[in-house]
Amino acid sequence: MLNRILLRNVSSYSPTSVVSVGPLKRVSVFYGQNGTGKTTIGNYLQAPADTKFSECQLEPVKEREILVYNHSFMEKNFHEEASQPGVFTLNEENIEAEKAIADAEAAINLLTGTLDAHMMAGKEAKAAQELAKDKLKDSIWKHKTPFDNSPLAYCFNRLNTKERVLDAVAQVALAPTTDTPDALRAEAAALHGASDVVLPAIPSIKFTGGEIEADLILVEVISGSGDSYLSALIQEFGNSDWVKHALKFESHAKDQCPLCQQSLPQDFYGEVRKVFDVTYEKRLAALNALQQRYQGAVEQLLRQCNGPTYEIEAIQIHAVNLRALLQRNLQILETKVSNPTTAVSLDSRETLKKASRFGEIPASQESN
C-alpha cells in the first residue's frame, strides 16, 4: 500500500520544493479547485515511469501495477462512436478477449454435455449392475432354500439373508467334487442320529520290517571268489547258483559227474568249494537272516490285521491289498535266496504306506 506521494517540477507543482501528499490511508479522498493538481496525481500513479515525472517519487516504491480509472484509461480502452454519441465499444484487444471468453464458454458447455452423458451412462451401468446382483442373489437363495429344515440346515445358521449367502458363496474356492446333495443329507442325518459316546481309537498298525525292503544286499550280486581255476568258467556261464546247488550231490556222485556220469578231475569238488568261500557263505547267511526277519515281520503284521479291532469293511479292503503286497515281497525274497546272483527290489516303502493307510502309523514305527 502507498504511504506517501512526493511531487516536484510537474504541471502546477513547484519546480524547486517537494510537495508531500500523505500519509495515505486505505481510503484517501483528494478534493480541491480546478488546477490544483488532482489530475496530475492520477496521471503520475498511472504512468510513474513517464519522463515528465522524473522528479516525483512514491513511498514506498511501488511493487505492483497501479490501475487508475481516469480519463486517460477511458481513452485508451474505449472510443466513442461518432454516429451515436454516448455509446462506447470495446477496442481490438478487448474484442479478442471477448472472443476467447466465448470460445472458452463454448468448450465448457461441450465438456459439461460430455460429463452429463458420462454421468448418465454411469448411473445406468450402476443400475444394471445392481439389478444383475439382485438376480444373482435370488438365484443363489433358491439353491439354499431346499436345505432349510433338512439335516444340513445347521450349515446355514448364520446365512439368514441373501446378501450373506452371496458373500459366503463368493469365498468358496472352486474345486471338482463327487458329493451330491442327497448323499450329504444322508450323511448329516446319520450324524444327527448317532450318539455322543466316544468310541475307542483304533490301534495303530505296526510293521517292523520296513528297513529290510531297502537293504542293499537285495541288489548285490552274490557270487563266488576267483581263487579256483573254475571261477572264470562259472562266471562266464553265469550259472554259479546252479553249480552251488549241485554240491549237495557230492556224496552220491563220488568222482563222477552227477548228471553225465563222466569221471571228474582230481579234487574237482575242492576247487568248486574254493569258489564258494567263507565270504560267500557269510553273505548268503546274511541274506537268509534277512528273509527270516522279513517273514516274521509280515506274519506279525498279518496277525494284527486279523484281530477283531480291524473287522471293518473299510479297513479289510485295504488289508487285502496289504496282504497281497507283502506276499509278493516274500516271493521276491525267496527268488533272491535261491539265486543270490540276481538283483531284486521289493515294493517301495511309500507304495506300501499308500496300500496300508487304514490306521495312523506312529513316526517311530512307520508302516511300509
Side-chain angles (χ1 to χ4, degrees):
M1 187 183 75
L2 290 177
N3 184 38
R4 191 178 303 274
I5 302 173
L6 304 176
L7 301 168
R8 188 176 70 171
N9 196 24
V10 60
S11 190
S12 59
Y13 290 92
S14 171
T16 57
S17 60
V18 176
V19 176
S20 174
V21 181
L24 302 175
K25 305 296 184 182
R26 290 183 62 84
V27 178
S28 300
V29 179
F30 299 90
Y31 62 92
Q33 297 179 357
N34 292 338
T36 56
K38 300 187 300 298
T39 301
T40 301
I41 293 175
N43 291 338
Y44 172 49
L45 293 176
Q46 187 177 46
D50 195 322
T51 57
K52 63 183 178 181
F53 300 112
S54 60
E55 297 187 40
C56 301
Q57 187 177 352
L58 297 175
E59 291 184 356
V61 178
K62 75 181 185 70
E63 298 176 353
R64 63 185 67 181
E65 182 182 7
I66 300 175
L67 298 179
V68 179
Y69 298 94
N70 55 10
H71 182 72
S72 297
F73 177 83
M74 296 292 290
E75 290 180 345
K76 180 179 179 181
N77 294 282
F78 298 90
H79 65 276
E80 185 177 357
E81 292 287 352
S83 60
Q84 190 174 1
V87 177
F88 298 88
T89 60
L90 292 173
N91 63 10
E92 183 178 355
E93 294 179 357
N94 288 317
I95 290 174
E96 293 178 356
E98 185 179 50
K99 184 178 182 304
I101 291 173
D103 292 342
E105 288 177 347
I108 290 173
N109 292 334
L110 180 61
L111 291 174
T112 301
T114 303
L115 175 62
D116 291 342
H118 284 304
M119 292 293 291
M120 180 60 67
K123 290 180 180 179
E124 293 175 354
K126 183 177 181 181
Q129 185 181 32
E130 292 294 335
L131 180 61
K133 184 177 180 180
D134 289 339
K135 289 182 178 180
L136 178 61
K137 288 191 289 187
D138 292 339
S139 176
I140 294 176
W141 187 261
K142 289 179 181 178
H143 289 287
K144 177 257 183 191
T145 303
F147 293 98
D148 295 340
N149 302 319
S150 75
L152 292 173
Y154 72 94
C155 297
F156 303 90
N157 284 342
R158 302 186 63 182
L159 305 179
N160 51 6
T161 66
K162 294 180 180 180
E163 192 72 32
R164 290 182 178 179
V165 173
L166 178 60
D167 291 342
V169 171
Q171 296 175 14
V172 176
L174 296 179
T177 179
T178 58
D179 294 330
T180 63
D182 291 339
L184 293 175
R185 286 192 192 94
E187 183 179 352
L191 291 174
H192 282 301
S195 67
D196 58 354
V197 177
V198 178
L199 298 177
I202 297 177
S204 300
I205 297 295
K206 299 178 181 179
F207 182 57
T208 59
E211 75 283 355
I212 296 176
E213 295 167 355
D215 199 300
L216 295 179
I217 198 173
L218 298 176
V219 296
E220 179 182 341
V221 177
I222 303 176
S223 60
S225 72
D227 294 339
S228 171
Y229 71 87
L230 295 174
S231 299
L233 179 63
I234 294 173
Q235 293 296 331
E236 181 71 20
F237 290 156
N239 57 3
S240 63
D241 297 330
W242 180 81
V243 174
K244 177 68 169 61
H245 292 315
L247 284 174
K248 63 184 178 182
F249 298 107
E250 178 185 2
S251 60
H252 304 286
K254 297 183 179 179
D255 294 332
Q256 294 179 332
C257 173
L259 299 179
C260 63
Q261 302 300 312
Q262 293 185 11
S263 299
L264 296 175
Q266 184 177 2
D267 198 24
F268 177 81
Y269 282 105
E271 292 296 327
V272 172
R273 290 192 189 91
K274 287 182 181 179
V275 176
F276 305 104
D277 58 1
V278 174
T279 301
Y280 176 87
E281 293 297 336
K282 286 184 178 180
R283 299 306 293 160
L284 202 60
L287 182 60
N288 279 279
L290 198 73
Q291 180 193 27
Q292 294 174 8
R293 285 172 51 205
Y294 194 79
Q295 177 72 42
V298 169
E299 292 175 354
Q300 180 184 12
L301 178 63
L302 294 181
R303 283 196 297 271
Q304 292 182 65
C305 295
N306 292 331
T309 304
Y310 305 102
E311 292 179 354
I312 302 173
E313 182 179 357
I315 294 180
Q316 286 302 313
I317 292 175
H318 297 290
V320 169
N321 295 331
L322 176 60
R323 290 189 187 94
L325 191 147
L326 293 175
Q327 290 299 331
R328 287 197 301 272
N329 280 352
L330 288 174
Q331 292 173 4
I332 293 172
L333 277 175
E334 181 66 29
T335 300
K336 177 66 175 177
V337 171
S338 301
N339 302 282
T341 58
T342 303
V344 299
S345 63
L346 304 184
D347 286 338
S348 68
R349 176 177 301 189
E350 193 63 29
T351 301
L352 195 54
K353 281 183 179 180
K354 293 178 181 178
S356 62
R357 199 180 295 276
F358 57 86
E360 289 294 328
I361 311 299
S364 60
Q365 299 283 351
E366 286 191 349
S367 175
N368 293 271

